[in-house]
Amino acid sequence: MPLYKTIPISPTTSVYVWKVTEPEDELSKGIELTPHCQKRIEGMKSELHRKAFWSIRHLMAEAGYVDNDMFYDDFGKPHLHDGNHISITHSRNFTGIILSKTDEVGIDIEMQREKILRIAHKFTPLEEYRTLANTEAIIRKLTIVWGAKESLYKIYAEQGLSFLRHIDVMDFAFDDKRTVAKIAYKGKKSHYGIEFLEFEGFTCVFAHKMMGN
């Protein structure tokens, strides 16, 4: 059971990361799905996606939940019946969840790839990155910013929210491992804490809504 990392963010919030190495039949053992989720996994043509789906149920079990404890709203955002907050992510052979008893939360895992250089203008002003020493550093930083905005989008969950126009991630140094962000949309402003870590060529970013927003 390759639980890769457990990260306690606060007394009420934790992140769980899984590295998928098992065959699908092993991952699916002991997991009971709701009819809705059974239908979803039967419709998945990609084995990689199915294995990610199963591994996320194992991460939920690590936190004391089963598939029946979760439901999805019309936006596709997951919720827990007990009122706690959850967010889910997967990228290649890594999956992750963040759970919180107190805060709205979002999580994203991304593989660090040169492709992000081609799409960066769609989600962030590129002039902010001209001081970085090399291409690798730019890719790392852009991946963190993209992951932060993905995490925030999962929290906000509203159609029309633009990564470029409505979400602002404050600048940071790699060693900080954290920053803050703001969403300004439809006349409302809200603020969020962002934390990040890097492992095996991947970036994991998680966000939580700051109190009083």
Side-chain angles (χ1 to χ4, degrees):
M1 295 289 234
L3 178 66
Y4 188 73
K5 287 182 185 291
T6 302
I7 308 160
I9 306 304
S10 75
T12 59
T13 305
S14 294
V15 169
Y16 302 82
V17 177
W18 191 276
K19 185 175 183 179
V20 181
T21 58
E22 313 92 327
E24 186 179 356
D25 59 352
E26 185 179 330
L27 273 172
S28 62
K29 282 179 185 174
I31 303 291
E32 288 189 27
L33 298 178
T34 62
H36 170 75
C37 284
Q38 185 64 45
K39 188 174 181 180
R40 281 184 65 198
I41 202 163
E42 287 172 359
M44 292 179 188
K45 294 180 180 178
S46 165
E47 183 186 20
L48 193 64
H49 287 172
R50 293 194 303 271
K51 288 167 76 170
F53 189 93
W54 290 118
S55 69
I56 285 164
R57 271 64 197 168
H58 285 287
L59 290 175
M60 289 174 62
E62 290 286 338
Y65 289 98
V66 297
D67 190 53
N68 199 43
D69 293 325
M70 186 170 65
F71 66 98
Y72 295 85
D73 63 21
D74 292 341
F75 194 81
K77 182 176 178 177
H79 299 267
L80 294 168
H81 287 293
D82 65 5
N84 290 341
H85 304 282
I86 186 171
S87 182
I88 292 168
T89 185
H90 65 87
S91 178
R92 303 293 179 97
N93 60 323
F94 282 100
T95 58
I97 65 172
I98 184 169
L99 289 151
S100 180
K101 296 177 180 178
T102 52
D103 304 317
E104 292 182 66
V105 287
I107 188 171
D108 188 55
I109 296 175
E110 297 286 343
M111 187 178 183
Q112 297 165 2
R113 296 184 291 171
E114 282 195 21
K115 176 186 175 183
I116 202 162
L117 297 171
R118 299 197 300 272
I119 64 169
H121 66 280
K122 296 181 180 180
F123 67 88
T124 189
L126 273 174
E127 60 269 15
E128 295 178 9
Y129 304 91
R130 287 182 181 152
T131 58
L132 291 173
N134 54 55
T135 300
E136 181 190 359
I138 296 171
I139 291 169
R140 286 175 61 203
K141 196 154 198 180
L142 286 171
T143 306
I144 293 166
V145 172
W146 173 262
K149 294 194 176 191
E150 278 280 358
S151 299
L152 293 167
Y153 189 79
K154 290 177 179 181
I155 294 175
Y156 211 83
E158 191 168 329
Q159 294 284 3
L161 184 70
S162 164
F163 280 25
L164 183 61
R165 297 191 307 275
H166 303 134
I167 306 176
D168 187 21
V169 178
M170 301 300 111
D171 196 19
F172 55 89
F174 291 120
D175 289 345
D176 293 342
K177 303 296 184 188
R178 67 183 65 229
T179 185
V180 293
K182 178 180 71 176
I183 295 178
Y185 187 52
K186 293 185 176 178
K188 295 186 293 184
K189 291 183 181 179
S190 48
H191 296 82
Y192 303 83
I194 305 291
E195 297 185 47
F196 56 88
L197 67 152
E198 298 169 296
F199 47 82
E200 296 189 32
F202 287 79
T203 300
C204 179
V205 188
F206 30 96
H208 64 90
K209 192 170 185 182
M210 298 172 86
M211 300 299 289
N213 284 274

